[in-house]
Structure formats: C-alpha cells, structure tokens
C-alpha cells in the first residue's frame, strides 16, 4: 500500500466546499484501486487567516509544505476583505515561485454532458503548457514621479533556461499525445522577447523530428481557440499568453467551474501544487451549490502526476458519465448540490 501525504489548502469561499468533495472522491478512487491511500493535512491559510494575522500564511509555512508529496489547493481570494495582489502574492504565487513550480498545465476538452457555447466543438482536446515562473509576470519594474509625469515600468523577463524547459516539456507531452506543438508568439509586435522565444522554439523542435509544429501570433491563436480548437494538440505559451489562452479554453468548454490546473516542480526538490482555475466565488460560498468538477478534475491531474494515469483517466470518464446523465450543479444547467455531484461520482466509482 502506497500512502501519499497531501497538504490541503481549501483557502477562501467555495474552496472550503469543493476541496472536501474532491478528497471524498479521491478516497473512493483509492479504495477501488486498493493499492494507494491518502493522508491529508489541512491548513486554514486564507483571507480569514490574513485578517487575524496580517499575512496569508505563517512565517514557517513553506517549511511545513515542503515535506508533502503534493499540495491540493482550493481557491484564494476575497477582494472585498483583502486586495487580490496581497492574497495571491502572499499564498498562491508565493508557493509557485519558492517551490520552483515552473510549469503550469491546463487542459481543455469537449466535455460530455456540458453545453459548449461553440456551435460545432468537434470534440476538441488540447493541453496548454504555460511557462509559470517569469515572462510578463516578473517582479522587475517600478513607478516613479507623480501626477502627469507618473511612469509605471513593468519588465518582462525571459531566460533561456526558463523558455527551454517550458518548450521542451510541451514537446515531451506531445510525443505522448497526437504529436503536434503550437507555439504562442507575438514576434511581429514584441520585438525582443518574442523573437527570442521563436528562436528557442525552433532550436528545440529540431530535437523532435517526429513532432509537427506551428507558431501562431497570440491574437490569431486566441481567435482560433474559438473558431477551430479541434486542430490543436499541445500549445506552449509564456506566462501571460498561457493565462489568457487557458481562460478561453475554459470558456469554450462551457464553464470555468470545471477547468483544472497543475503547477509542476520539475527538479524534485519541492512538491507540485494542484488547483482549479475558478476563483473563490464569494457570491455563492456557503450555499452548497458550487461546482466540484474543477477540483475533482484537478485531483485527476494530481493522480497523473503521482504516476496513476490509468485510474486518473477512469475517474475523468466517470465524471463525464455523471455530467452526461444530468447530475450537474446549477452553473452548468443542473439542479444538484456540490455534495450530490460528488456522491454520484463516488457511487459510480464503487459500482
């Protein structure tokens, strides 16, 4: 029996509802599998914690988390109480940066039982690999002067090391999928970082002669995600471009409430972190109607990362079966509660 030590951070809002639902599903998966189990340690680091302590996590929080095999995060943020840049940089982004979670993976696919806003979604199934540590989201810059002379400077930082590892990771994934990588670029308008990105992409593509490639400017690529998402397999993008594309991916699936994400540490020094794309949704928190699928699909990605791709895929198939049969929360056209959706998934797993 392999037991995995998982750090839970339910966070804010609906995170406190969907994380327990997803861990119940994970325990059912483990029971059915018979060879794995999970031990959870839950941490109440959140905007509630900030109001009490003036920080999003304790000073030794990172030392605590580094001992776990994975971090399972719910949602962070409550802007009416704590500014988003404080809550995110004090918890989510702090973990990503200090634990060197340099790759962010977000899938988007035609999801059975979910009404895509696209007239003809053509069973699209794509995966966005987002560089997660630098690019446009660097902390280099500043503000000077006041009034009409005020200046804000934000520097985008692209290192060869960071760019190469994101692109290479995308090619490695494509070899296991349908053998195609698309690079998101904007070298006709961003004159230094994007030509550099293009050069590195072309260099690395030479090491993967069996993988087909394309490079598409981000504005056109965003449009193609809407008009023909079925043509894409793996898409690799910088931090900002990847962020934008994955929200489009969630939208064409039919709901951001089902979209998952993984923040991957590649060097093995620290745990990776798994989180749904949706936010804390304070407007519906506590009502028991939050969609748990994003968190459950995130659990599937954690299973994949831990080496259990087969049972992870089985879990996703069951989730789609449940959705297709109409057991859905209100946001995607159903009447079920958070708990009822999770319970139906568990019931079918154990059949």
């Amino acid at each position: 029996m392999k037991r995995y030590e998982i750090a839970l951070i339910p966070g804010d809002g609906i995170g406190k509802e969907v994380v327990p639902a997803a861990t119940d599903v994970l325990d059912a998966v483990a029971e059915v599998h018979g060879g794995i189990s999970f031990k959870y340690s839950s941490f109440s680091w959140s905007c509630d914690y900030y109001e009490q302590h003036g920080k999003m996590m304790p000073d030794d929080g990172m030392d605590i988390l580094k001992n776990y095999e994975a971090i399972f995060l719910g949602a962070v943020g409550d802007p009416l109480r704590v500014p988003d840049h404080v809550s995110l940089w004090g918890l989510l982004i702090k973990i990503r940066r200090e634990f060197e979670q340099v790759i962010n993976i977000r899938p988007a696919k035609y999801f059975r039982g979910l009404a895509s806003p696209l007239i003809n979604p053509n069973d699209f199934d794509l995966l966005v690999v987002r560089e997660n540590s630098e690019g446009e989201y660097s902390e280099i810059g500043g503000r000077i002067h006041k009034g009409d002379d005020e200046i804000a400077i934000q520097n985008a930082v692209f290192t060869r090391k960071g760019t190469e590892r994101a692109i290479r990771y995308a090619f490695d994934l494509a070899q296991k999928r349908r053998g195609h990588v698309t690079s998101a670029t904007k070298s006709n308008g961003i004159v230094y970082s994007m030509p550099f990105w293009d050069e590195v992409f072309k260099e690395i593509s030479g090491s993967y002669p069996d993988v087909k490639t394309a490079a598409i400017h981000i504005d056109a690529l965003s449009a193609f995600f809407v008009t023909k998402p079925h043509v894409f397999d793996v898409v690799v993008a910088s931090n900002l471009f990847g962020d934008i594309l994955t929200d489009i991916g969630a939208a064409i699936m039919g709901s951001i409430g089902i979209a998952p994400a993984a923040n991957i540490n590649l060097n093995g020094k620290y745990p990776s972190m798994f989180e749904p794309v949706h936010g804390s949704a304070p407007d519906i928190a506590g009502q028991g109607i939050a969609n748990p699928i994003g968190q459950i699909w995130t659990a599937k990605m954690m299973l994949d990362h831990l080496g259990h791709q087969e049972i992870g895929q089985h879990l996703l198939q069951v989730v789609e079966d449940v959705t297709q049969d109409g057991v859905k929360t209100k946001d995607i056209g159903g009447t079920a509660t958070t708990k009822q959706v999770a319970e139906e998934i568990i019931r079918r797993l154990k059949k």
Side-chain angles (χ1 to χ4, degrees), residues 263-279:
N263 301 283
I264 304 299
N265 171 275
L266 296 179
N267 59 28
K269 293 179 182 178
Y270 306 104
S272 295
M273 179 168 63
F274 302 84
E275 51 164 333
V277 175
H278 65 68

Side-chain angles (χ1 to χ4, degrees), residues 142-154:
R143 293 169 67 167
I144 57 175
H145 307 315
K146 297 292 182 182
D148 292 343
D149 293 325
E150 187 170 11
I151 301 172
I153 299 171
Q154 177 73 49

Side-chain angles (χ1 to χ4, degrees), residues 32 346-351:
V32 171
I346 291 168
R347 186 186 71 81
R348 297 193 187 203
L349 284 168
K350 293 184 175 181
K351 280 203 312 185

